Amino acid sequence: MEKDDVFDVQSKISAEVAKKIGSEYGLINKKNTLLLLEGENVDLSDYMLMLKYYYYQTLLSEELWVELLNSVEKALTNRPNSAILWAMKANLYGDIYAFDMPGEEEAYKNLGEFAEKACSLNPDNIFVRVAVAFKCFMYGEKERFYNICDETISRIPNSSFRLSVFAMFLCLNGEWIQGKVLLDRVFENNIDVPKWIYGTTCLYYYR
């Protein structure tokens, strides 16, 4: 089984036993999550950081951002070649720029640098591809962004965070129909979704 098929299998099982509770925001099977992160020297602390990251995505609070960034930077001192950690750090700084918070100029630079660092370490990892897509969207690298979409979306199972990212950026790039198809897929297959996806849905109907 391919590592990126794990969430798809998990989702089907969860649909039968817990009304589709199986997204990143649900009760994740530890073994399946570790398999998804295959290709790295993953330990339990990486798994816990991933859970913290998904929890942060549900709230997007400044307090959680600071706590998570500190945890990621500490982890990178021990595992400097972890593409997952670099991608997570890129996404965190990308949020600072996206929300126009203090330090956005430095955050913009860090988003690009850290996303490319993650890509150089593990370009095939889906989470890393999400970070690079984020960077491409913010940097206006449309051709590369669309290439990443074409290569990646078909590999993503019914994952609320990963699909939501691509759906939102496709819509904001003007690909409203393709983005809306992904949005519908997210809502149909996940009981919990990131809050920011609702803004994209509203924009679709008010565009």
Side-chain angles (χ1 to χ4, degrees), residues 67-122:
E67 178 183 342
L68 183 56
L69 179 64
N70 289 337
S71 297
V72 170
E73 289 182 332
K74 181 178 181 180
L76 278 170
T77 62
N78 297 319
R79 297 183 297 286
N81 293 321
S82 170
I84 293 292
L85 293 176
W86 282 110
M88 203 177 300
K89 190 173 182 179
N91 286 336
L92 287 171
Y93 276 104
D95 287 344
I96 292 295
Y97 179 73
F99 297 136
D100 198 24
M101 298 172 66
E104 70 274 9
E105 291 185 6
E106 184 68 18
Y108 179 81
K109 177 182 176 182
N110 289 340
L111 165 62
E113 178 182 343
F114 300 152
E116 294 299 343
K117 174 70 173 180
C119 187
S120 70
L121 292 168
N122 194 349

Side-chain angles (χ1 to χ4, degrees), residues 110-144:
N110 289 340
L111 165 62
E113 178 182 343
F114 300 152
E116 294 299 343
K117 174 70 173 180
C119 187
S120 70
L121 292 168
N122 194 349
D124 291 328
N125 183 274
I126 298 297
F127 189 81
V128 170
R129 284 173 171 260
V130 169
V132 177
F134 191 5
K135 180 258 181 176
C136 290
F137 176 79
M138 291 301 183
Y139 277 59
E141 300 172 358
K142 286 192 174 183
E143 182 176 356
R144 188 183 181 194

Side-chain angles (χ1 to χ4, degrees), residues 24-204:
E24 294 94 339
Y25 304 109
L27 301 174
I28 305 173
N29 180 283
K30 292 183 179 182
K31 181 178 179 180
N32 286 354
T33 302
L34 292 174
L35 286 172
L36 182 66
L37 301 179
E38 197 174 47
E40 305 217 351
N41 295 320
V42 179
D43 58 25
L44 185 58
S45 60
D46 291 318
Y47 166 75
M48 295 303 295
L49 278 176
M50 184 66 78
L51 289 183
K52 286 183 178 180
Y53 178 79
Y54 290 133
Y55 178 64
Y56 156 76
Q57 282 291 329
T58 66
L59 300 177
L60 293 176
S61 77
E62 183 177 353
E63 181 180 355
L64 286 175
W65 186 93
V66 172
E67 178 183 342
L68 183 56
L69 179 64
N70 289 337
S71 297
V72 170
E73 289 182 332
K74 181 178 181 180
L76 278 170
T77 62
N78 297 319
R79 297 183 297 286
N81 293 321
S82 170
I84 293 292
L85 293 176
W86 282 110
M88 203 177 300
K89 190 173 182 179
N91 286 336
L92 287 171
Y93 276 104
D95 287 344
I96 292 295
Y97 179 73
F99 297 136
D100 198 24
M101 298 172 66
E104 70 274 9
E105 291 185 6
E106 184 68 18
Y108 179 81
K109 177 182 176 182
N110 289 340
L111 165 62
E113 178 182 343
F114 300 152
E116 294 299 343
K117 174 70 173 180
C119 187
S120 70
L121 292 168
N122 194 349
D124 291 328
N125 183 274
I126 298 297
F127 189 81
V128 170
R129 284 173 171 260
V130 169
V132 177
F134 191 5
K135 180 258 181 176
C136 290
F137 176 79
M138 291 301 183
Y139 277 59
E141 300 172 358
K142 286 192 174 183
E143 182 176 356
R144 188 183 181 194
F145 171 78
Y146 288 127
N147 287 337
I148 292 173
C149 289
D150 292 341
E151 296 169 358
T152 309
I153 291 174
S154 62
R155 295 172 51 193
I156 304 177
N158 294 319
S159 156
S160 56
F161 171 70
R162 292 168 175 82
L163 284 181
S164 294
V165 169
F166 283 103
M168 179 178 69
F169 291 152
L170 280 168
C171 286
L172 295 180
N173 264 328
E175 302 295 334
W176 290 100
I177 302 302
Q178 185 180 1
K180 183 60 165 56
V181 169
L182 289 183
L183 289 173
D184 291 342
R185 181 176 160 189
V186 170
F187 284 114
E188 288 173 2
N189 292 282
N190 294 279
I191 196 171
D192 200 2
V193 299
K195 292 180 180 179
W196 40 262
I197 195 175
Y198 292 102
T200 309
T201 304
C202 290
L203 287 174
Y204 173 82

